[in-house]
Amino acid sequence: KHFQKGTLVDVVKAHAGENLIDDVVLRTKGFTHGNIKVEGKPFIYVCMANIAIGFTSDTVKFTCYHNSVKMMGGRQYDAIDDALYEFLRDEVKKINSGLKIDRRDYSDATAVVVSTYSNYASFRNQTKDAVDDDFIYTAIKDALLKELKEENGKNNKSVKDFVGHIAEIAERRLMTEEFAKNLKK
């Protein structure tokens, strides 16, 4: 799919279309740097992450770019998933302490686009369509988690509604699982 020139917010809106709830898209940036070894020699890496997230009423896949090239998998996708899981796990427990969420509960409820840039990357596969660097993962996860927590702390209606929606989905999933278990008995 080709997108006209614009921001990550524009890409989220294009991906989500009319499934975007309240037309709200959160934006955040992450930055990290440090030392790693590359081919046995010390190397200073620098990584910047730009992130946009919207809440949706239907399935929208995450999309990640590294140095302006679309990635099909890797640590970027792991970082998004882990940040969402950690945030939702903690917030849903505040609503219902006995409720445990599953990654399936929120997989159809978010549109996330990430664009990272770094001066070094370890690519996976012959097609080089995934990055495997932990510093890229950290830049994304920390920035996304911080943004979600801050917006939730500000009582952002979209974020609060999102958490409540995921709690309802998790409750329905657990009731369905319990019903299926009882039906087998």
Side-chain angles (χ1 to χ4, degrees), residues 50-64:
N50 295 303
I51 305 164
I53 180 173
F55 308 112
T56 65
S57 59
D58 200 3
T59 304
V60 179
K61 299 290 185 204
F62 303 154
T63 305
C64 296

Side-chain angles (χ1 to χ4, degrees), residues 78-88 141 144-145 148:
D78 296 341
I80 296 167
D81 194 42
D82 290 350
L84 286 169
Y85 179 78
E86 188 174 320
F87 171 73
L88 289 166
K141 182 182 177 213
L144 182 55
L145 192 54
L148 289 168

Side-chain angles (χ1 to χ4, degrees), residues 34-139:
N35 298 305
I36 57 174
K37 293 235 182 224
V38 176
E39 297 176 6
K41 297 178 183 171
F43 185 83
I44 298 173
Y45 69 82
V46 178
C47 179
M48 181 181 71
N50 295 303
I51 305 164
I53 180 173
F55 308 112
T56 65
S57 59
D58 200 3
T59 304
V60 179
K61 299 290 185 204
F62 303 154
T63 305
C64 296
Y65 300 89
H66 184 71
N67 291 346
S68 298
V69 177
K70 186 173 183 180
M71 298 288 112
M72 302 308 290
R75 298 297 282 158
Q76 292 169 304
Y77 290 88
D78 296 341
I80 296 167
D81 194 42
D82 290 350
L84 286 169
Y85 179 78
E86 188 174 320
F87 171 73
L88 289 166
R89 178 197 63 207
D90 295 346
E91 293 306 315
V92 165
K93 277 185 182 177
K94 293 176 186 175
I95 296 171
N96 180 343
S97 62
L99 188 59
K100 293 190 187 318
I101 67 159
D102 186 281
R103 294 177 194 278
R104 295 172 291 172
D105 298 334
Y106 60 84
S107 64
D108 295 343
T110 54
V112 183
V113 178
V114 171
S115 177
T116 55
Y117 293 92
S118 69
N119 61 339
Y120 176 80
S122 299
F123 291 97
R124 183 191 306 166
N125 307 327
Q126 285 183 321
T127 55
K128 305 210 181 305
D129 60 0
V131 289
D132 276 344
D133 299 291
D134 286 338
F135 65 87
I136 294 171
Y137 169 92
T138 300

Side-chain angles (χ1 to χ4, degrees), residues 149-164:
K149 286 180 177 180
E150 283 180 4
E151 289 299 318
N152 192 54
K154 293 178 189 175
N155 288 318
N156 179 312
K157 182 182 179 330
S158 295
V159 176
K160 292 285 188 190
D161 290 349
F162 172 62
V163 171

